[in-house]
Every structure is written in C-alpha cells, then in structure tokens.
Amino acid sequence: MKYENIGSRLLMAASLVCGGKTVCDVGCDHGKLSLYLVKSGKAEKIIATDINKMPLQKAIDLFAEHNISDKAQFYLTDGLQGLSNTDDITHVVICGLGGDTIAQIIRNAPFIKENGVQLVLLPAQSGDKVRQFLYENGYSITSEHTVGENKKFYTAISAKYTGETVQHNTYDCYIGKTENCTGADAKGYFDMVLTRLEKKAKGLQIDTGSCPEDICEAIEKVKKLIQNN
C-alpha cells in the first residue's frame, strides 16, 4: 500500500496520532486510515467501527490482504457503541462525519472522559458544532491543522478531556485554533468559513432585520485572517 493513496485529509488526521496503543477508527469506511496507522507504527492495534456492513467488510478484507488481521477488531456498530474492551484505547479518530454526529458519538462514549483518551476529529462539515460541543463539555482543543483535498478545506482537531469548560463566542466556534494556521490550505478554510458566516448573517438579516453583533465581529476577524494569508 502506498501511504500517499489515503489522501491528504487522512494523512493529516494520522499525523495527530502519536504513540497509540489501541486506536479506534470510527466510521472506518474502507479501512485505509486504520491500515496506515498500523503499518506506520502509529498504532499497535486498531478497533475499526462502521455503521454500514459493506464498508466495514472492505476494511476487514484490506487487513486480511495485508496479513495483519490479528492487529484489528471490527465492529458493525453506531459510533463507539458496544465495544467489548475500551481500557486500552488511547486515541479515538473520527474523520469524515458531520459535526453534530461527531458530538453525539463522543457524548455517548463516557470512557473517553474516564480514560483520558486523545481525540482526533476531522469533520466533513460543521466544525463549529464540534468546537462548541468540546468547549461546553470540558474538552481542551490542543491543536488544529487545516488541510485541503479536492478543492475542499477541512480542519483536523486534537482534543482531550480536562473537565474545564471554555467560554466561547461565534468566532471561537467557527475558527478555533485554526487562526494559528497559515498557507494556502488555511486561506481556503478561512474563505469557506467566511462564506458560511456571511450566509448566516444574511439569513438573520432577512428574518430579524439585523445581524447579531457577535456574528458581525466574527466576520470582520475572519476577513483579517484572510488578508494576512
């Protein structure tokens, strides 16, 4: 397997996994990220889950093809439900799902808090919903990294439970620690966020006759980020 074939998004997510004992790949799809984590030494073992039978079977077949089926457990399940042993999980990686879905998966898995599991999250959309959940439920965002793939832009979020909630506003939810990112991928991400914020502001303007100050301030701050990139 050529590692570059997993794509820039999954490579970015994988780069945030360090020293993984058992890494849980939620929504594993074809299993390429799971395989990469084992082959590259970033994970000793994998727990791969998917809610759909066909992609999970592809992951099972991929590990069998590479003769490392003993390095993985596969679960046909919703998120992290029904795992038989969570004590050894050091990382939970969730890539390619929506923000609301990611938040719900974390909410329904108390072992993440109890065991100090490192989260690596790469939402397909609605990253603001992920950040808001983390801020309000005691998780600390340790880092974020923007990444582009097929002319779309994403953020990879590394977070861990600390028990301390974080005060936040619209800008924090939409940008978070990506404000520290630079380069073409960062600019692409900021452009995408600006479009979303301006669309939201326009809708509120139509519905209520005004744009909330918090959203207007966020728009101006994002414009400055774009100018500086």
Side-chain angles (χ1 to χ4, degrees):
M1 175 187 178
K2 293 182 179 180
Y3 292 158
E4 60 268 24
N5 288 345
I6 72 172
S8 55
R9 280 192 303 163
L10 296 187
L11 277 173
M12 178 60 76
S15 73
L16 301 183
V17 177
C18 183
K21 292 185 178 179
T22 298
V23 177
C24 189
D25 180 9
V26 179
C28 66
D29 197 18
H30 39 51
K32 290 182 179 179
L33 173 60
S34 292
L35 184 70
Y36 173 78
L37 291 171
V38 172
K39 287 274 194 175
S40 64
K42 288 180 170 292
E44 294 178 10
K45 294 183 178 179
I46 285 289
I47 295 176
T49 81
D50 205 285
I51 198 170
N52 295 309
K53 186 175 182 179
M54 188 174 293
L56 187 68
Q57 187 60 53
K58 288 183 180 180
I60 293 170
D61 293 343
L62 184 63
F63 270 71
E65 178 185 339
H66 287 263
N67 298 311
I68 54 171
S69 297
D70 60 320
K71 297 289 187 180
Q73 292 178 284
F74 302 92
Y75 287 84
L76 183 64
T77 188
D78 184 358
L80 292 160
Q81 300 304 295
L83 303 189
S84 60
N85 182 8
T86 59
D87 290 344
D88 294 332
I89 295 175
T90 56
H91 297 72
V92 166
V93 181
I94 312 177
C95 295
L97 302 181
D100 286 324
T101 301
I102 291 174
Q104 191 63 37
I105 289 170
I106 299 170
R107 184 181 289 111
N108 291 338
F111 76 86
I112 293 175
K113 290 183 178 181
E114 296 162 2
N115 298 352
V117 173
Q118 187 75 36
L119 293 171
V120 175
L121 313 171
L122 202 156
Q125 64 272 331
S126 301
D128 57 299
K129 299 290 184 64
V130 175
R131 294 188 191 92
Q132 182 177 358
F133 170 82
L134 296 174
Y135 293 145
E136 294 177 355
N137 289 274
Y139 290 88
S140 173
I141 297 176
T142 53
S143 68
E144 291 196 54
H145 304 270
T146 52
V147 58
E149 184 176 288
N150 297 327
K151 298 182 180 180
K152 295 183 179 180
F153 298 91
Y154 310 86
T155 182
I157 301 170
S158 180
K160 199 166 187 176
Y161 182 73
T162 63
E164 297 182 9
T165 58
V166 177
Q167 294 293 321
H168 55 279
N169 55 29
T170 297
Y171 176 80
D172 298 324
C173 289
Y174 277 82
I175 290 295
K177 290 186 179 297
T178 64
E179 67 178 6
N180 299 318
C181 298
T182 58
D185 287 346
K187 184 180 183 301
Y189 185 80
F190 300 149
D191 284 337
M192 178 197 71
V193 170
L194 180 61
T195 298
R196 288 191 61 205
L197 283 170
E198 289 181 333
K199 183 178 180 180
K200 185 173 184 176
K202 184 177 180 180
L204 289 168
Q205 184 75 36
I206 293 171
D207 291 341
T208 67
S210 64
C211 175
E213 183 179 348
D214 189 42
I215 295 178
C216 292
E217 288 179 354
I219 288 172
E220 293 307 311
K221 291 180 76 172
V222 174
K223 286 180 177 178
K224 289 182 179 179
L225 287 176
I226 293 171
Q227 290 173 358
N228 293 332
N229 270 272

